Amino acid sequence: MLVLIVQLAFAQEKTISGTVADDTGLPLPGVNIIIKGTSTGTQSDFDGNYTIEAAVGQTLVYSYVGFDTQEIAVGASNKMDVTMQAGSVLDEVVVTALGISREKQSLGYSTQQVAGEDLATVKTSNFTNGLSGKVAGLQIRRNNNFGGSTNVVIRGITSLTGDNQALFVVDGVPISNLNTNNPNQKNSSAGNYYDYGNAAADINPDDIESVNVLKGAAASALYGSRAGNGVIIITTKRGKKAKGLGVTINSNAQVGFVDKSTFAEYQSNYGAGYGGEAFTSEDINGDGIDDVVANYLDDASYGPSFNGQLIYQWDSFDPASPNYRTRTPWVNSPNGAITFFETPITLTNSISISNGMEKGSYRMSYTKLDQSGLLPNSQIDRHNFIFSGNFEMSDRMTASGFANYIKTDALGRNSTGYNDNVVGNFKQWWQTNVDVQQQWDIYNSTKRNIGWNPGSSEPGASPIYWDNPYWTRYENYQNDSRSRFLGNFELNYKLADWVNITGRVATDTYNEQQEERRAVGSVPTSFGITRGNVDSGYLRRDITVTETNYDLMFNFDADISESISLAGILGTNIRRDEFNSLTNSTAGGLVVPGLYSIQNSRNSIPNSQEVAQKRGVDGVYASASLGFGNVVYLDGTIRRDDFSTLPDEESAFYYPSVSTSFVFSKLMNVNAISFGKLRLNYAKVGNGAPPDKLFDTYVINTDTGTSVPSTSNNQFLRPEFTTSYEAGIEMRFINNRVGFDFSYYKSNSEDQIVEVPIAESTGYSRKLLNAGEIENKGFEISLNATPVKTDNFSWMLMGNFTQNKSEVISLPEGVEVFELARYQGGVRINAVPGEPYGVIYGADYVYNDNGQRVVGANGKYLRTGPNEKIGDTNPDWLMGITNTLNYKNWSFSFLIDVQQGGAVFSLDQYYGQATGLYGESDYINDLGNPVRNTIENGGGFINPGVLEDGTPNTTRVDASEFGQFGYAAFPQSEFVYDASYVKLRQASLSYSMPSKFLDNTFMTGLQFTVTGSNLWIIDKNTPYADPESGLSSGNSQGYITGSLPTTQDYGFNIKAQF
Amino acid sequence: MKKLILILTAAVFAVSCSDNLEDLNQNIKDPTQVSGESLFASAQKQLADQITTPNVNLNNTRLWVQHWQETTYPDESNYDQATRPIPDNHWRELYRDVLRDLKEASKNITATDNDITNPLKPNKLAIIEVLNVYAWSNLVETYGNVPYTEALDIENLLPKYDDGMTIYKDLIVRLTAAINSMDTSKGSFSSDVEKIYSGDVASWKKFANTLKLRMGIILADADNATAKAAVESAVASGVFTSNADDAGYAYTAAPNGNPLNDNLVLSNRNDYVAGKTIIDIMNTLEDPRRGSFFTDVNGEYIGGVIGDQTVYSDYSHVTPSILGGDYPGWFLQYAETEFLLAEAAARGYNVGGSAESHYVAGITASFDFWGADGLAGYLANPAVVYNSGAWRESIGTQAWLALYNRTFASWLSVRRLDFPVLVEPIAAESGYPVRYPYPVSEINLNPNNYAEAASAIGGDATETRLFWDKFDNTWGF
């Protein structure tokens, strides 16, 4: 903001004074008032008052960021009060890199804003989920895990194995979005791991003023390497002069209901067993004669048909059971697996106080979140305290500070992956005869692990494969707590009118403690540091993460002449971060049941595992922006970063960017076109390596001795670079009633720092190399329209469309296939040259030259080897459409979120169809009989296809027992599903009390909102699951096993302002 | 002035916070140097684990020789080697977790200069060599041609495969050199590091010779001259002479417990029952060792149909006596030795004694080992009496029985002698596996060398007989 005060004598000047206010009557401080054609001017003061010397006939120009500029001629009166109208988008200002506000029109790169209100409408424990469908180019993949991590990726995956998440910045300070999940949780499907979420989820949406997404590398060259994946800039609410006390209270309650289309729908004809109509024979009632007993050992539903016959079932074995030694009818359970889920309730309450004074402003807020989950015994509580303020110490010096303390406690996150996953149990290995209510009753009354899958019919027998699901939730649960502090302190000094200097220190530090436990008497599974098979145990992980940033910036803003403006930054950033973790566990089980402490270990305590990593980056950067007559802008930036994680010779490198924007509409005088801008940019961003990757260290084994590590590090590492180009056009028509923004981009990431899998005959599994190139190109379109706008009613439409195509251009020399993840079920996610990043490999059907499936002599399909490409995890395109209708004090909006394309492999179907849980293995066949009848009784089916010699297959396979469906008969490609969806993501209806009703009360604002979230999956192709489910955030997506169902959430919110 | 102070303060602030960047990038929690002994300890255990484990992802040889059968999930007894990548896992265990660590152990021990331990170096290096040969010979016997001369070199990401026969002969040469370099008057590793013989060099010498004997016998059908020389020199130098010489890894308890304990006891799972093939043969012979191998079902021994789903409680189970956490993991045994000597004698090698005397000694040793009675009656059974006209059948059958719970050793025996006659699993996914297919990781990551090797051995199929396996199976599948 430039004001050069020059006194010019002018004849017949008089003193003009007045007040400048906005359209609600609130005084506006800092409004620029200039005598047109001169550089004489002033600013309105804190109460909106101003005085200026001007002559009749001169015109005063009133301008203020966010408001329409007004020009008013000086008339006879000496008093000129002005009301400013809230801004057209022309003067829209956005917060860009380093917290610098820029007029959007001057930016040569693509950005998109989301208002804080939009994010705060629907309360979740991870605000990043609220960004889905709202920003073109931003792909949000939530994983449906309770409190789980969300994958936030802008413009595709650029790094083969590194972090591809966007950088989160709060008020100019980068914060950690670390996902501390065990790497095995993310890249494999081994069970007994938990998704601990990503750290950015701590941010409270109620404290967010706005979010600006900087999409390409050019938008972020000033942040250095981490911003190469794009930046999500969060601006928190600041204090401002309030009407009334400045108090806002927000209270929200949200309730969820399981969306049945995302959970299993079982067949209702057959119960426990693998062997068709055969029951088990055992003497249960002790009379020496064998009785008919349900196949309690079998964790499948490929057993006898439900004919209501009285037999002994699992509930007849234990004396504590009401049905001890009693026969019960063999029927489909009235309380199936879906009754296991509870109703999740989320309560969010917050209070904030903000006010502005003459020399500063402040804001304080406290928010409490209480969320209970779908699974029994799950809970997340979060406290969020914020204090932010700024103060003008003198007319040159301003100080501001921000302190945010967040305490999160979580209990009972769901186990992800294959083993020991309750939801996986329900979807893959379950007996349809099990009454879940009975499981609850017996657990609740005895607190013992009496399950539906005991190892024998003896009383007190422990389960063989699966615990009582309530036992799993109430006894073998995890809990974690995180205590986090984000703070910064900034001093800004105005050296001269055209330059100011900012110094800032910021820190983001948290302690996290994770505890996992298994109770004595559980089914043994791999657990603890040694991952040996054990029934009980306790594990504890203590993690500390700290990031500190020191910034010193010189900010220039001058006008070289009347039409040429120059702004620039010269700065340095020093960043230090640290990661420490300590893991301890018991081994061999617990000595004292129910006591979860490390000393309670039956075997000697295994070696603790310690990790300590430090990293530092020293950066120097400069940027210059030239503006020509507010029509053409030219920006250049250059940054030099020195990484501690690279070898000394290669540790520092430069990366530049250039961008230009041309507001061509200002040169045209077409009425219909209110705004038009062309923009182009080029940027190069470099990236260093993760810590400790230069030299090899040995591994101290948890069992015996030491070993050479499996990955060979590389002391000659070089930085990796992403080069990107972007071109875009933004236009608005008919007084901003319609507008669009189109961007096309191409980015290439080269010299990737990659741990490449290598032939293990080298004695290693992986080698760290600089190699590989990934290309991403695509386009984004966002559309805004206000088809109807009257005084009382408006209808706004906003749409986003994203298409990103990635391609692995090359891999390190000698590597033909790069395995990103290997999952249970024989499926791999690979990066292959010429293919998009993240393709699914597994076995496929064998096809003959006519494209027909080939069947073997036994009537079962032939299957290829495990190395066929069977799916592509990347979507073809993404789209989100929001409609907002406003009528007087009412506002209604809904968002439809669409993904087209992408593929997921469902382990649930791979196993569940084989174990006879679903209708795929229970239907009426071509002869009009149940397919599970024996061949003699007209059952079975014929696989459509041909034999190897080309003749049609006529062999009827006998499906009366396990073995003809699911993994037992079909290749993995059969279980790869299209992940497309159309979802009614969000809908909300709000009512703001008109001010006339509030005038007599102490309230200055009152608003009621009703919201719905994930209301309706209008279309999807993944059976019995939500296509967005997954294991974790991270680079391996496209795999579903035992993920939680999606809930339809309904919420009610009251916001009151005083 | 005020301005100046402000700028300077800020600058000083910034500069003082800038600590030395390079110092940050050090892993202060993991070692950059370790003793060769600790590497050896790990390699030895990994090798013991991989030989001993019954885990379906790692080692299904007990199922393939039809000593055991699976219960609920019979995929592996039907030769499924794809759903669980067993060839990949075995390859990785041996190359990465055994051989690479042994190589590093050798390097570190050689580099250590310490007056007290220097005299022990030659013995230590010799023992490392012996384990090297054990591991390499397993790789060749299991896959055929494998990377050897170019392997274990991080600078060579595409190691070529060497000819199996050539490797095997070189291994015998290395073994001989190791044997000759051992000095039984000195010690070697300490007992907390070396868990088979507690570092006793004399025992290791016998072990090495016995290994050489076995390797010679394996070569016998392919290269009789080399085989004869190896066998005779090994016997002359001294092989196992009693059960007390048996080489067993001394497991203790989790995490250093016997993998059988972890997989069959600690997991609380019932994945295995006795195999019908061995039960039928033992029932026919009324073999007194049945009770030592298996539990009975109401006084009878019943074996599960090979390849079929079985109900655990209906069949004989694996005897609990071999499932303790501290049960040893066997590398080589004396009973095994006697059968190898019997075969040597049957082939006309000069090993002292006759084929029959060694045959009987083998059976005797086995009965002793398992603590079974009724030896005399058993030996008198005409079906047991040594038949020199069908020595492959005689030795093959009795060795297979004595090699119960001996994983790779038992699989080697049936592949080589092609007896006893095994039964086709009811849902066999392939012909009888006489080798592991090459790992998928090699197909992907070392494709040209893989392709060459695959064609050199006659096709990368599980049914492709390796260079030492000269005769077809007698069981027709």
Side-chain angles (χ1 to χ4, degrees), chain A residues 755-828:
Chain A
E755 281 186 13
V756 177
I758 55 178
E760 286 168 319
S761 37
T762 56
Y764 290 87
S765 289
R766 290 172 183 262
K767 181 166 181 168
L768 192 67
L769 289 176
N770 275 105
E773 184 183 336
I774 297 185
E775 181 177 276
N776 278 288
K777 50 186 185 201
F779 60 90
E780 295 147 8
I781 306 176
S782 60
L783 217 67
N784 278 289
T786 311
V788 180
K789 186 168 178 176
T790 68
D791 278 340
N792 286 335
F793 178 73
S794 72
W795 171 27
M796 291 189 293
L797 199 58
M798 183 176 81
N800 292 304
F801 182 86
T802 306
Q803 183 181 86
N804 181 68
K805 294 268 176 250
S806 72
E807 187 185 329
V808 178
I809 302 284
S810 69
L811 286 177
E813 180 151 335
V815 179
E816 297 217 344
V817 171
F818 184 85
E819 195 179 278
L820 299 166
R822 183 184 300 191
Y823 292 130
Q824 172 92 3
V827 153
R828 292 157 208 248

Side-chain angles (χ1 to χ4, degrees), chain A residues 299 465 493 524 574 576 603 610 642 644 648 692 698 701 703-704 706-708 760-765, chain B residues 3 14 19 21-22 25-26 29 31 38 42 45 72-73 92 95-96 100-101 104 152 254 256 266 442:
Chain A
D299 54 352
Y465 300 122
Y493 185 75
I574 293 169
R576 295 286 178 267
N603 291 353
E610 271 200 273
D642 194 351
S644 65
D648 292 344
D692 302 334
Y698 292 97
N701 297 326
D703 53 358
T704 298
T706 61
S707 291
V708 174
E760 286 168 319
S761 37
T762 56
Y764 290 87
S765 289
Chain B
K3 287 189 241 177
D19 41 10
L21 271 187
E22 294 89 60
N25 199 37
Q26 285 170 6
K29 295 294 180 183
S38 63
S42 167
K45 172 159 191 289
T72 318
Y73 309 102
R92 173 188 324 115
Y95 273 103
R96 189 190 75 183
R100 180 67 187 87
D101 285 353
E104 190 80 1
L152 303 179
N256 292 312
L266 295 182
E442 287 285 321

Side-chain angles (χ1 to χ4, degrees), chain A residues 857-873:
Chain A
N858 58 1
K860 282 168 94 152
Y861 284 115
L862 294 186
R863 297 183 256 192
T864 64
N867 268 343
E868 300 295 313
K869 174 180 169 190
I870 56 178
D872 176 0
T873 60

Side-chain angles (χ1 to χ4, degrees), chain A residues 8 22 26 119 267 274 317 362 406 446 477 502 512 539 614 659 699 739 810 818 883 903 970 973 1029:
Chain A
L8 282 176
D22 71 8
L26 206 63
L119 289 174
Q267 49 83 6
Y274 277 103
F317 301 159
Y362 68 89
I406 307 161
T446 65
Y477 59 92
T502 303
E512 192 172 317
L539 176 141
K614 289 190 189 185
S659 60
V699 174
S810 69
F818 184 85
N883 276 288
F970 295 99
S973 58
S1029 354

Side-chain angles (χ1 to χ4, degrees), chain B residues 131-434:
Chain B
L131 277 188
N132 266 329
V133 170
Y134 192 97
W136 280 117
S137 64
N138 176 291
L139 278 172
V140 173
E141 292 153 10
T142 307
Y143 296 93
N145 294 8
V146 294
Y148 179 66
T149 47
E150 291 189 359
L152 303 179
D153 178 6
I154 191 60
E155 302 303 327
N156 182 351
L157 298 184
L158 303 171
K160 77 171 202 298
Y161 287 57
D162 292 291
D163 170 61
M165 170 76 96
T166 316
I167 302 174
Y168 216 71
K169 288 192 189 170
D170 186 51
L171 291 175
I172 295 182
V173 168
R174 284 171 68 172
L175 198 52
T176 310
I179 293 167
N180 293 340
S181 77
M182 287 186 194
D183 181 351
T184 52
S185 71
K186 299 205 174 69
S188 67
F189 293 105
S190 63
S191 59
D192 55 317
V193 164
E194 202 281 278
K195 297 288 191 185
I196 299 180
Y197 292 124
S198 299
D200 178 56
V201 184
S203 303
W204 274 103
K205 197 161 179 177
K206 279 200 228 178
F207 178 94
N209 279 316
T210 309
L211 179 61
K212 189 172 167 186
L213 161 64
R214 183 166 88 180
M215 290 176 74
I217 292 294
I218 288 174
L219 268 188
D221 287 332
D223 181 344
N224 197 45
T226 313
K228 188 171 192 301
V231 167
E232 288 177 355
S233 65
V235 173
S237 182
V239 296
F240 285 170
T241 48
S242 75
N243 282 338
D245 291 331
D246 283 2
Y249 184 87
Y251 286 114
T252 50
N256 292 312
N258 191 317
L260 283 168
N261 179 259
D262 193 51
N263 282 285
L264 269 68
V265 175
L266 295 182
S267 68
N268 222 13
R269 293 172 67 105
N270 297 323
D271 289 323
Y272 304 106
V273 296
K276 189 166 191 300
T277 313
I278 191 173
I279 290 291
D280 284 352
I281 290 179
M282 288 182 109
N283 279 345
T284 312
L285 296 175
E286 290 180 354
D287 195 317
R289 289 171 293 184
R290 283 174 299 179
S292 311
F293 291 3
F294 303 112
T295 60
D296 63 277
V297 185
N298 295 327
E300 284 182 51
Y301 292 94
I302 312 182
V305 173
I306 303 298
D308 198 9
Q309 258 192 328
T310 58
V311 175
Y312 183 72
S313 49
D314 290 347
Y315 298 95
S316 294
H317 307 152
V318 176
T319 179
S321 68
I322 65 169
L323 300 181
D326 55 1
Y327 187 73
W330 301 112
F331 280 65
L332 278 179
Q333 290 183 306
Y334 167 60
E336 179 183 6
T337 312
E338 284 294 348
F339 285 109
L340 292 167
L341 291 171
E343 192 175 330
R347 290 175 186 275
Y349 297 171
N350 193 352
V351 295
S354 68
E356 178 157 17
S357 68
H358 285 299
Y359 175 85
V360 167
I363 299 177
T364 309
S366 179
F367 269 68
D368 262 346
F369 177 81
W370 290 102
D373 295 321
L375 174 65
Y378 188 73
L379 288 172
N381 187 335
V384 175
V385 168
Y386 179 70
N387 182 349
S388 58
W391 60 264
R392 283 177 187 272
E393 182 166 2
S394 281
I395 298 177
T397 309
Q398 284 300 323
W400 175 78
L401 287 170
L403 287 169
Y404 173 70
N405 193 35
R406 287 296 316 281
T407 67
F408 285 96
S410 56
W411 188 41
L412 261 181
S413 180
V414 304
R415 286 183 287 163
R416 189 178 76 256
L417 295 173
D418 302 303
F419 276 100
V421 178
L422 299 179
V423 166
E424 184 167 14
I426 61 163
E429 294 191 14
S430 70
Y432 187 76
V434 291

